[in-house]
Amino acid sequence: MPEHIEYWGIPHEWGSPNILVYSVMFLAGAVLIFRFIMQARIWWKVGRPEARWNKLHLRIWNVIKYAIVQTRVLRQRYPGVMHIALAWSFFIFFLGTALATINTHFFKFLTGSVFSFYKLTLDVFTVIFLVGAILAIYRRYVTKPDRLTYQPQFTWTLILLVLIVLGGITTESLRLAVEQPVNMAWSPFGWLLAQGFLATGASDAALTNLHLIIWLVHLFLAAITLVILPVGSLLHVLTGPLNIFFAELDRPIGSLPPTPTDQAGIPIYVSKLSELTWKQILNGEACTECGRCQDVCPAYGAGYPLNPKEMILGISEVLKDAKSHQNGYDLSLLENSKLSKEVLWSCTTCAACITECPVLIEHIDTIVEIRRHLVIEGLIDTELQDALTNLGRYGNSFGQSPRKRAQWTEDIEPPIKDATREPVEYLWFVGDYASYNPSVAELTVKTAKIFQKAGIDFGVMYKGENHSGNDVRRVGEEGLFEMLVEKNMKALERCQYQSIITTDPHTYNTLVNEYPFAEPQIILHYSELLLMLIKEGKLELNNPLNIRATYHDPCYLGRYNGIYNDPRQVIRATGCDLVEMPRSRDLALCCGAGGGRIWMEEGKVDERPSENRIQEAAALDGVQYFVIACPKDYTMYQDAVKTTGYENDLFVKDLIDLVAEAM
Amino acid sequence: MTQDIFVLIEHIRGQVSDISYIMTAAARELAQAQDGSVVGILLGSGAENFKDNLAVDKVIYCDHAALAEFTSDAYKRTLIAILGEYDPRAVFFGNTTIGADVSSSIAAHSSYPIINSCIRITEGGGITSQVCGGKIMVDSQLADKTTIVTMIPGGYKPEQGQGGPPSETIKFSPPDLENLKVKMVQFIEPATGDVDIAQEKILVAIGRGIQTEDNIELAEELAALLGGTVCASRPVIDQGWLPTSRLVGKSGKSVKPDLYLSLGISGATEHLEGIMGSKTIVAINSDPDAPIFDIAKYGIEVDLFDFIDPLLEQLGNVKNG
Amino acid sequence: MTEIVVIARLVPDLVEELEIAQSGIALDTSWLRLIINEFDNHAIEQAVILKEKTGANVTIISLEAEGVDDMLFTTAAKGADRLIKLTGVDEEKPTNISLAETLSNIIKEINPDLILNGVQAHDDITGDLAPQIADLLNLPYVGYISGVSIEGGQAKAFKEYPGGLLAEMEVTLPAVLGIQASEEPPRYVAISKVRQMMSTASIEEMPGDGLITENNFVIDRMYLPEAAEKAEMLEGNEEEVAQKLTSIFQDLGLL
């Protein structure tokens, strides 16, 4: 009966090989654990405390989902398959070794068909690994995508792993060549390689000796891998799952944490390494340098100073530098060029980075926390200063009188209800751009008229409404955000309504995720409302447009709040032929206006994200309408369509434009 | 108290400022209503020579080395002495770096009532002032004692105050000008090597509305097509996006181009003061209530960024025939 | 240690439409929004810059009005040491000579080396404030300053002349300066810092009930300007207007 043979071909003259194996592995393991703990305890020692132990079952589930099954890695085909091949194989090998150990010392079960299946699995995964290795080698040395880090440590890791696996299959083939056991066929690839060895005509003794040598080398290499794991590119094997385990579970991504305070209640504005939480430091250590965040970052693509991958690695760099610096762990993060204020101000908070990261690194939280420090120190450009001053004074970034906020309602008959004076069913939180920007205000008027046609009972807060604060918070002006929330909450509390609606995804995001409502609210983006009205027949779209259109998912509607389908259904309902851009849904490229960027100086740019997006749409065959569902998108893309020269071919349309045309 | 109207004539480095002629024109109207003469006060070293083009009836001048260039202490002491001796009906000071340094402190010292920002004289000898950035007008009357009036440009053209020479010249002995608390060390020239916008015939002016330094390129393109130069209002200069030599307005240069094309300038009074002499003003601003539309000949209510490309295109077409 | 006093006032915010009161000779204060006089904001900034350079003690004085507490706490967040506001003031604007008298008495007690004030306030009709204070305290005054440094008992001040010309003036201290622009543009203060100041800083109140609002000359009326000759507005879409404008340029012989 076929069964697992322990230490085949390994001489027992110098004592049980167990002693060698276990002592080597325990030693290597001990070194690994020791080194890792020495490194890890620094995060706890240096960083601020943060409790992330709750919801253990969810945390464990996340580890299974992201660290073992690796769903994020699988979002992209080539690197996904490549890494799964490498990682899962090693999971299987590790499992295999563990099972063999159990089988030897505790409970014999690797016999018969179980054993055969065991052998087959190991063999198959050996080949899978080698295929993965080839894919990796080709990618790293032939294709050479920009987003990877090209340093020797990655080469060494590949070499080590490939040698280990080759060692594994080779020892097995040598054993098969000598023993030729009855169940050889269950190790097909090992058996194939064994044929090769047999063909050389080497004697059994020679093969057995070779087996011993390779076995020893294999053991040695495995030990080395464990020992260097904390300093090589394999560190992510430990830090990745840890980072996933300790991921933020209590807040949705659309909700930022308030400014932290120390024991005395004094706010902490993060600028030093020691002011980060241990989890934020772990972010830096967990980065696998895969570069997916870099690839999807609109700022990086445009040529701005921000590179999200380098920014996260910068944290790790500062940690290293701090050890030898005179300031120690109080070393300022801002002095590292990867974390400079120019880098931090480039971020649009579009959340593409955190959507892609395989190990759930939280880039945006750190960027915003350090921005809070920059704001306190006044390290902001003059345009942003003006915008914030205006927001503080007038409740809008345009510096216009709050009384003019609802000027767009002037010519609308019947007059739009004042929600602060009479009850309404839908309280429409209009937003800054929709109120004050002349071209967007035209859309607002159109929207109001369509709401009236649909017969819904709605009102606005007129001058009671202030900027919702979403981007003020993302800029790091937390105090101003709090003030705006207070003012808006006061106004909302005076109103009686069933639901809140808005055309602005940024407003939507903060109302849904950050506003301290006492009772649960129904908050709708107008795309949801429009769909509802269409389905209920309150809006009759009798004039199908028959135009090919593409839809751009707003960051704060899509990635942040998962609303992808309603706008699409509205578009289809208007009779448009909807075609998707290559980067759609959670892959949509940010227009570049978010995170307060629209209030900042543009600076030197290679290609604006909005222009890149228009090029993407223009490449679609026959598409005439570029449909958006966000006021800032409207202004950004109107400009981009002109600067890219497509203004006669591609027309920027808001959802409401389509609905109006289809009525 | 006599019925004469006095005017402090301002001069900087040998040049009589436009405001002096403007004040003279206003003083003439006021003097008519009061039935008095217009007297110009000239302080300086050899200042007497400035009187020739002034449409004043008399000139009182005072020469002293300490009065060669304006300093507030020396001028204040001298003027208090002159006004104390002559006790005029009213005294005009420019609302300028010279006039404003002394007008209010003399008023406080000698308990003279003081009326700010006069833009013109009304029939009957009243004062019309323009305050609150041009948004509010105030009509008032001279008090029953010597009243100081500070003047802003806009109501009269300098030509209206030119003429002369005055029929009488009175020399005044300077008071004690020892131990002055304000001394002039030196003049500091603005950065040279740049255009003198006061000589340009076509100016494209940018203001806050240009938003970023990068957008200035658009204005430069426009200026190039028109054969002119770019100038700016204060907010742009304060940012350091253009040198101070390009500043138009009260603290900058007064310009008299054939065409003044303003982009995104609202028309703060300090700025408008500098462009009064322009032949044709064309204003582009998205705010229909912008004060600049009150003095412009042609106005376009549009976001300058929506308009500039079509305009460049049109001009380009015409240029290329 | 150098003592610096800054007088900072709130003035009508021109963003809003201004209206005339029933009396016909004053502004309607019911809907009036107040904002810090921009030049006073520069004066505050200049004072703070001097404090950062030479370690001065900075006192800010203002009048009670809607929003003045916020303004004073903001100056504290920038670095001001002492905050004073005149209370019991009338709704109507006091005359500047009367205000100058009241302020001079307060300033005398502080005995500062330097008094800074914005060179002008757009709603002043009764003269400029700082020169009147200077005269009452028998101090020199120089206005239109865009840079100050203190050396010994003197201030070196850069006075702005038209055309970008500057005059370097030497002023014996103590002196009053009318600020046109601070050396660096006024800094931004985060709202959380201002809010922090509200719990740590305090505003001293001093009596302002002796202020006189009656002018020493007669104001006949205050009114909104008649839009006499507004510009001829060119209508149409952007292309049409561009064409119209181009032909205007051609007619003017400019092309």
Side-chain angles (χ1 to χ4, degrees), chain C residues 23 71 99 140 145 241 243 255:
Chain C
S23 65
M71 184 269 276
L99 183 57
I145 303 301
V241 175
Q243 277 171 352
L255 292 178

Side-chain angles (χ1 to χ4, degrees), chain B residues 190-192 194-198 237 242-248 253, chain C residues 163-164:
Chain B
T192 45
D194 197 23
V195 267
D196 182 3
I197 52 173
I237 306 299
L242 285 176
T244 16
S245 52
R246 303 289 187 108
L247 175 61
V248 173
K253 298 210 176 133

Side-chain angles (χ1 to χ4, degrees), chain C residues 23-200:
Chain C
S23 65
I25 57 168
L27 287 176
D28 185 342
T29 52
S30 44
W31 289 112
L32 204 58
R33 176 191 291 273
L34 296 173
I35 193 179
I36 188 171
N37 176 13
E38 191 53 35
F39 295 119
D40 288 343
N41 201 21
H42 282 257
I44 293 166
E45 183 65 29
Q46 185 64 63
V48 174
I49 290 174
L50 284 168
K51 174 182 172 168
E52 285 168 352
K53 283 191 180 161
T54 66
N57 201 48
V58 176
T59 304
I60 315 286
I61 311 180
S62 189
L63 283 82
E64 190 173 58
E66 195 182 320
V68 76
D69 283 11
D70 258 5
M71 184 269 276
L72 287 171
F73 286 124
T74 306
T75 67
K78 291 184 184 184
D81 302 289
R82 190 176 170 199
L83 312 170
I84 299 175
K85 77 172 167 183
L86 298 183
T87 52
V89 304
D90 226 295
E91 269 268 310
E92 273 180 60
K93 194 175 150 71
T95 63
N96 275 345
I97 185 68
S98 149
L99 183 57
E101 275 162 15
T102 306
L103 290 174
S104 305
N105 290 331
I106 298 172
I107 294 172
K108 237 182 278 194
E109 299 297 307
I110 301 173
N111 197 17
D113 301 290
L114 192 58
I115 300 161
L116 301 180
N117 182 218
V119 66
Q120 298 200 313
H122 61 61
D123 65 337
D124 273 344
I125 187 84
T126 56
D128 300 324
L129 182 61
Q132 299 188 52
I133 295 176
D135 179 82
L136 293 175
L137 292 172
N138 196 21
L139 299 177
Y141 171 81
V142 188
Y144 291 86
I145 303 301
S146 60
V148 191
S149 59
I150 301 177
E151 280 153 51
Q154 308 234 312
K156 193 188 315 194
F158 293 94
K159 182 178 171 63
E160 287 196 356
Y161 277 74
L165 182 66
L166 286 176
E168 188 182 326
M169 298 282 190
E170 229 169 57
V171 189
T172 359
L173 298 178
V176 181
L177 296 179
I179 303 294
Q180 164 92 1
S182 45
E183 255 164 67
E184 295 291 333
R187 64 196 67 189
Y188 181 75
V189 184
I191 302 238
S192 37
K193 251 189 166 175
V194 177
R195 289 187 157 184
Q196 216 178 341
M197 284 295 138
M198 287 179 183
S199 38
T200 53

Side-chain angles (χ1 to χ4, degrees), chain A residues 385 393-394 401-403 477, chain C residues 13 16 31 33 186 188 191:
Chain A
Q385 180 167 330
R393 212 173 261 160
Y394 306 110
S401 165
R403 278 185 246 160
E477 231 294 27
Chain C
D13 189 347
E16 304 286 0
W31 289 112
R33 176 191 291 273
Y188 181 75
I191 302 238

Side-chain angles (χ1 to χ4, degrees), chain A residues 251-272:
Chain A
R251 281 183 284 118
I253 60 171
S255 167
L256 287 175
T259 310
T261 52
D262 65 15
Q263 281 123 331
I266 297 178
I268 300 173
Y269 300 110
V270 177
S271 66
K272 303 183 194 145

